[in-house]
Amino acid sequence: MRAQIIGTGSCLPEKIVTNDFLSTIVDTSDEWISQRTGIRERAVCTDETLTDLLTQAANQALERAGITAQELDLILCATIRGDYITPSQACVIQKEIGASCPAMDISAACTGFIYALDVAAGYFARKKVKKVLVLAGDCMTRMMDWSDRSTCVLFGDGAGAVVLGEGENLMAIQLTANGNVDVLNIPHVGGDSPFDKLPKSQSYLSMNGKEVYKFAVSSMYRDVQTVCDQAGVKVEDVDWIVPHQANLRIIEAAAHKLKVSGEKCLTGIENLGNTSAASIPIVLDRANTEGKFKAGDLLVLTAFGAGLTTGACVLRW
Ligand code: ACO
């Protein structure tokens, strides 16, 4: 593939909500949440919009890539729900950052960032682009039923961004989809058509946590091996695994099956919660700004989410 990451950025809302605070809203405890998920706190949108978060992440990534928005040839945004049904969130950000290239959204839930990388890789392969901004973000806490303790404690809000330039560092991407509405869904926001005979439902996330858990561990295990095979590398040679941050136990179980040591798995779930598609670029950005990655390091990104979708990517830093 003809692309490489040349800049990263991320942004979280200001308000931090701890597990202890959540236990004043629903019947839960810090002990239950942290033992079952690894989450201790999450950043939650109050007066911020998704546009605010994505704009900041995008500008950071552009600055670190050393390019202006006008140099972008394409903007892709992975999101479950942008601030508008239309225009796309990518178009909204295009205006905010002052770009003038085509822009579109990718809907693949928590796997969206890896789906977007694959779409971008296709544009590079067809030589239609030289610089692409890949964004991922969601305000998941605005899609929760805040009386349902089994879901509302799991999520947080945030945005991540990368700028892709030409290069040979994206080595392989593997995507899957296994259509399934029952295990994890968020119904649409209803209109008020006087002709509409469909039952009205609230636009809240519902999830069969146990089914997602089993699916997540087995698919991460399978996808990391498959994508490493495709890239011609061995799992044991991978320097860093950047997994979707949904549950620390899922990450640990998948790493155990892959025989990968815990130190190689980058995590941020402790203070992020599940930020959907943004989780991988946020953790990537943190590690990048902390100077964790050396040139030449081998990274594997791996995600699963509603759809059910999964994706994994091997890249050389
Ligand atoms: N606090 C206290 N107790 C709780 C809470 C809570 N927040 N939530 C559920 N419980 C209770 C349940 O009511 C149940 O009680 P019972 O035994 O009396 O019936 C008990 O805890 C066990 O509940 P389970 O659902 O069986 O708990 P489990 O060990 O499966 O953990 C969890 C639940 C954390 C959700 C886990 O299944 C999981 O992480 N699944 C994966 C979820 C995931 O990754 N989602 C992201 C999808 S990505 C995307 O695309 C959005």
Side-chain angles (χ1 to χ4, degrees):
M1 294 186 203
R2 298 171 177 275
Q4 66 171 326
I5 294 175
I6 58 170
T8 63
S10 64
C11 179
L12 299 181
E14 266 179 35
K15 185 167 181 64
I16 303 299
V17 174
T18 62
N19 291 346
D20 281 336
F21 185 81
L22 286 186
S23 68
T24 66
I25 301 180
V26 285
D27 182 13
T28 191
S29 63
D30 176 49
E31 191 188 8
W32 192 95
I33 302 170
S34 55
Q35 280 181 6
R36 304 263 176 155
T37 70
I39 301 166
R40 297 198 170 272
E41 58 184 31
R42 71 286 290 143
V44 171
C45 282
T46 53
D47 56 359
E48 299 98 338
T49 61
L50 181 58
T51 302
D52 295 333
L53 304 182
L54 284 165
T55 302
Q56 198 170 320
N59 282 329
Q60 232 175 43
L62 288 169
E63 195 185 322
R64 295 198 183 127
I67 67 161
T68 66
Q70 274 299 319
E71 291 174 69
L72 290 171
D73 302 307
L74 178 68
I75 300 173
L76 300 171
C77 182
T79 186
I80 289 174
R81 184 188 295 167
D83 284 333
Y84 302 88
I85 290 176
T86 193
S88 69
Q89 189 62 47
C91 281
V92 176
I93 302 304
Q94 188 242 35
K95 174 174 183 291
E96 290 294 317
I97 62 176
S100 53
C101 57
M104 64 177 162
D105 287 356
I106 307 281
S107 177
C110 304
T111 318
F113 180 69
I114 298 180
Y115 264 70
L117 286 183
D118 198 45
V119 173
Y123 276 81
F124 278 100
R126 287 184 289 130
K127 300 192 176 164
K128 286 201 77 171
V129 294
K130 286 186 166 36
K131 300 279 185 299
V132 177
L133 176 64
V134 178
L135 301 161
D138 268 304
C139 297
M140 293 304 294
T141 63
R142 291 186 172 138
M143 297 178 232
M144 295 297 132
D145 172 358
W146 280 91
S147 65
D148 175 11
R149 67 178 181 174
S150 71
T151 51
C152 72
V153 303
L154 302 174
F155 292 88
D157 303 325
V162 299
V163 175
L164 298 175
E166 290 172 297
E168 298 295 328
N169 302 33
L170 274 191
M171 295 165 68
I173 300 181
Q174 150 82 6
L175 302 177
T176 75
N178 175 9
N180 185 327
V181 178
D182 299 333
V183 172
L184 177 49
N185 69 66
I186 306 175
H188 227 297
V189 186
D192 63 352
S193 163
F195 308 106
D196 188 0
K197 294 206 164 117
L198 294 176
K200 294 272 174 285
S201 52
Q202 295 280 5
S203 188
Y204 294 148
L205 179 143
S206 67
M207 175 176 74
N208 180 333
K210 277 203 189 327
E211 286 303 314
V212 178
Y213 190 101
K214 281 187 275 177
F215 170 77
V217 175
S218 60
S219 62
M220 273 190 175
Y221 174 64
R222 178 201 63 209
D223 286 355
V224 171
Q225 289 179 313
T226 307
V227 81
C228 282
D229 279 351
Q230 284 173 9
V233 300
K234 294 199 181 99
V235 176
E236 58 261 38
D237 295 335
V238 172
D239 295 294
W240 303 102
I241 294 197
V242 190
H244 170 47
Q245 311 286 311
N247 184 325
L248 193 59
R249 283 163 59 213
I250 292 176
I251 296 171
E252 287 171 351
H256 180 73
K257 274 171 80 104
L258 287 162
K259 299 189 173 58
V260 169
S261 78
E263 299 89 73
K264 286 189 175 182
C265 290
L266 297 181
T267 58
I269 183 123
E270 303 82 348
N271 56 14
L272 288 175
N274 181 345
T275 53
S276 190
S279 81
I280 288 179
I282 292 172
V283 169
L284 205 59
D285 179 52
R286 284 182 174 180
N288 183 27
T289 51
E290 284 165 13
K292 271 208 164 81
F293 303 141
K294 296 190 303 296
D297 275 0
L298 202 53
L299 273 66
V300 174
L301 320 180
T302 170
F304 60 90
L308 296 166
T309 54
T310 76
C313 167
V314 178
L315 61 97
R316 184 80 63 194
W317 196 255

